[in-house]
């Protein structure tokens, strides 16, 4: 079968390289892809949000399975358009993708389904938001842009002044454009974060192995929020008992409420959770594989990914065998451009990729890379996801950082403490 992966990040490279291993897959295309997906698949120069051209390509190549990686095309209705054209699609409809596209919608669904989450209020009026803040006692709050903001529209405010500045920058300065026209003000939750990803189709929910992201830019979880600076899997914090609680109190009620609302979910339901003293609470839902969580999680998956995602796309998930996993842990270290998550330059020549590729149990997933004059150069903020598997999390960490050491470009940096929380 011919498969099309839509997207251009590290997650898509991880998807592409896993799909390319499948015996049932004859060819993998990636639109638009990056320098890494060009090595493992065939890149197609179509923008992730260009629905008409994507449809034309899928028909021309008789694509049998399309996988939509990022949230932006999902929220824009890419999956619906491909499905209507008769392509099996792994990824939610526009109506279901609103769970990620609007944080206030996600909150409404959580209230309806009685799913534990932080207490919050939603505001579309600046004065009302400001008035609400003034009436509150001094306490830490989290201010979020309602819409999509590439993982950066969340501001943790420890003082009232920071909260005032946050609503000013979201609602008045419009730092995240229309995404910040509506804001959510919520209580700050304390605890450790985990990412629970589940493959969902019809009434079937198949949780994947757990993982933990590192959202803050710098070591020790300091600095601004990013799209994710590294991840590891599994997250030892999530015991079997806790997983059962997460399935029962969060995943099942969400899948049910989406069905009741006539927005049935098909794809990856990603619950970003805080494990608090009162149990797991939802920070956010995403409607796709996490990036960089997909890199270590998929590296551990032994089941044929193409068959799994096709079964989900065709609503036959209930009949597939239990997933098989490599028991060994994996970690992914993101190497980023100087300046990220703020402004950064592109086009720096990346060296040492061949040396890194020789290391055992290691795979360098490309994110913001492209090919220029036969050289691989940087093309984004998060550039590479250096991923390794090891007997213990410590060994996986050692291997990943050994590979990181092989790779260099002007301004390259990474966090040095990925996976330390697992130990
Ligand atoms: P979100 O995009 O909603 O997951 O938020 C991004 C990050 O901000 C999360 O991964 C958390 O690290 C942090 N965050 C979001 N909401 C809260 C909250 N209510 N309390 C504490 N931290 C939060
Ligand atoms: N790693 C967080 C995300 O994919 O949104």
């Amino acid at each position: 079968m011919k498969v099309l992966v839509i997207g251009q990040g590290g997650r898509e490279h991880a998807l592409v390289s896993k799909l390319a291993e499948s015996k049932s897959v004859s060819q993998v295309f990636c639109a638009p892809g990056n320098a890494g997906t060009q090595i493992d698949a065939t890149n197609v120069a179509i923008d992730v949000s260009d629905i008409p051209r994507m449809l034309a390509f899928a028909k021309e190549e008789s694509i049998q399975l399309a996988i939509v990686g990022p949230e932006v095309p999902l929220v824009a209705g890419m999956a619906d358009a491909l499905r209507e054209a008769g392509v099996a699609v792994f990824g939610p409809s526009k109506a279901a993708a609103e769970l990620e596209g609007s944080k206030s919608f996600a909150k409404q669904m959580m209230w309806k389904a009685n799913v534990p989450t932080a207490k919050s209020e939603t505001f579309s009026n600046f004065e009302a938001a400001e008035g609400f803040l003034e009436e509150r006692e001094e306490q830490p709050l989290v201010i979020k842009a309602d819409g999509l903001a590439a993982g950066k529209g969340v501001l943790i405010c420890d003082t009232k002044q920071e909260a005032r500045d946050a609503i000013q920058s979201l609602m008045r300065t419009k730092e995240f454009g229309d995404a910040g026209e509506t804001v959510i003000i919520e209580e700050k939750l304390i605890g450790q974060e985990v990412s629970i990803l589940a493959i969902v189709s019809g009434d079937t929910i198949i949780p994947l192995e757990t993982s933990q992201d590192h959202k803050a830019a710098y070591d020790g979880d300091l600095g601004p929020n990013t799209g994710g600076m590294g991840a590891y899997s599994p997250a030892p914090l999530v015991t079997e008992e806790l997983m059962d609680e997460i399935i029962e109190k969060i995943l099942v009620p969400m899948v049910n409420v989406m069905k009741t609302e006539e927005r049935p979910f098909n794809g990856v339901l990603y619950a970003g959770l805080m494990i608090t003293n009162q149990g797991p609470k939802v920070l956010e839902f995403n409607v796709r594989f996490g990036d960089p969580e997909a890199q270590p999680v998929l590296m551990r998956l032994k089941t044929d990914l193409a068959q799994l995602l096709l079964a989900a796309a065709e609503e036959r998930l209930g009949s597939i065998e239990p997933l098989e996993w490599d028991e060994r842990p994996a970690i992914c270290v993101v190497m980023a451009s100087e300046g990220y998550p703020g402004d950064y330059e592109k086009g720096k020549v990346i060296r040492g990729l061949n040396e890194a590729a020789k290391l055992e149990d290691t795979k360098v997933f490309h994110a913001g890379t492209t090919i220029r004059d036969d050289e691989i150069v940087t093309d984004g903020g998060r550039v590479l996801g250096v991923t390794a598997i090891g007997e213990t999390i410590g060994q996986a960490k050692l291997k990943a950082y050994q590979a990181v050491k092989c790779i260099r470009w002007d301004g390259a940096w990474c966090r040095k403490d990925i996976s330390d929380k697992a130990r």
Side-chain angles (χ1 to χ4, degrees), residues 117-410:
T117 183
K119 285 197 204 89
S120 69
E121 299 273 346
T122 299
F123 297 94
S124 301
N125 175 293
F126 177 78
E127 283 76 23
E130 210 178 26
F132 173 80
L133 282 183
E134 294 315 320
E135 283 164 20
R136 313 271 302 183
E137 284 171 26
E138 186 77 35
Q139 72 171 142
L141 290 169
V142 181
I143 317 265
K144 302 183 175 185
D146 183 55
L148 295 181
K152 296 171 209 156
V154 173
L155 302 157
I156 315 276
C157 307
D158 288 318
T159 65
K160 211 180 244 194
Q161 189 53 45
E162 284 173 21
R164 279 189 204 108
D165 295 344
I167 58 165
Q168 178 78 29
S169 86
L170 290 175
M171 301 182 92
R172 283 274 156 93
T173 324
K174 301 238 166 142
E175 205 180 316
F176 297 100
D178 294 347
E181 266 178 12
T182 297
V183 299
I184 287 84
I185 302 183
E186 71 178 31
E187 63 173 331
K188 181 177 172 184
L189 298 176
I190 310 290
Q192 272 216 55
E193 280 182 54
V194 291
S195 304
I196 302 295
L197 281 67
I199 309 280
V200 174
S201 171
D203 288 324
T204 311
I205 302 172
I206 301 186
L208 301 179
E209 283 282 293
T210 57
S211 54
Q212 191 172 49
D213 189 9
H214 296 65
K215 290 250 169 74
Y218 312 128
D219 287 20
D221 285 340
L222 299 174
N225 255 328
T226 69
M229 293 302 297
Y232 61 90
S233 170
L237 181 69
V238 186
T239 56
E240 219 169 287
E241 211 178 2
L242 180 56
M243 191 68 197
D244 288 343
E245 185 182 348
I246 292 167
I247 294 170
E248 184 199 335
K249 292 195 179 148
I250 296 170
L251 298 180
V252 171
M254 281 314 286
V255 170
N256 287 342
V257 77
M258 293 300 280
K259 214 168 147 190
T260 317
E261 294 288 313
E262 294 180 6
R263 300 172 190 248
F265 197 91
N266 182 312
V268 173
L269 182 62
Y270 164 140
L273 305 181
M274 188 73 91
I275 309 302
T276 72
N277 288 339
Q278 292 123 37
K281 292 192 181 183
V282 176
L283 295 171
E284 66 165 344
F285 281 109
N286 294 325
V287 298
R288 43 155 183 96
F289 285 101
D291 188 342
E293 292 95 321
Q295 289 85 318
V297 170
L298 292 177
M299 197 166 184
R300 297 183 54 220
L301 181 69
K302 287 185 171 168
T303 298
D304 184 321
L305 182 66
Q307 290 304 324
L308 173 65
L309 302 187
L310 183 66
E314 293 179 341
E315 298 210 4
R316 320 179 260 103
L317 203 54
S319 62
I320 72 151
E321 299 286 315
L323 300 188
E324 280 183 57
W325 295 96
D326 191 325
E327 290 300 319
R328 295 174 300 164
I331 102 160
C332 169
V333 178
V334 169
M335 294 181 74
S337 293
E338 187 172 6
Y340 177 80
D343 295 337
Y344 53 84
E345 288 176 13
K346 295 179 180 180
K348 312 278 183 197
V349 177
I350 305 172
R351 311 228 179 259
L353 288 167
N354 291 338
E355 272 164 85
K358 288 183 199 138
L359 300 176
E360 231 182 303
D361 295 330
T362 304
K363 172 92 184 168
V364 178
F365 294 113
H366 289 230
T369 66
T370 190
I371 298 172
R372 196 189 60 194
D373 303 333
D374 287 337
E375 284 187 305
I376 296 180
V377 299
T378 65
D379 194 40
R382 293 191 294 170
V383 177
L384 300 170
V386 181
T387 311
I389 204 158
E391 288 304 325
T392 61
I393 194 87
Q395 281 179 13
K397 180 182 177 190
L398 206 65
K399 285 186 193 174
Y401 280 101
Q402 262 166 4
V404 165
K405 267 198 209 139
C406 299
I407 302 169
R408 59 211 173 270
W409 70 84
D410 186 17

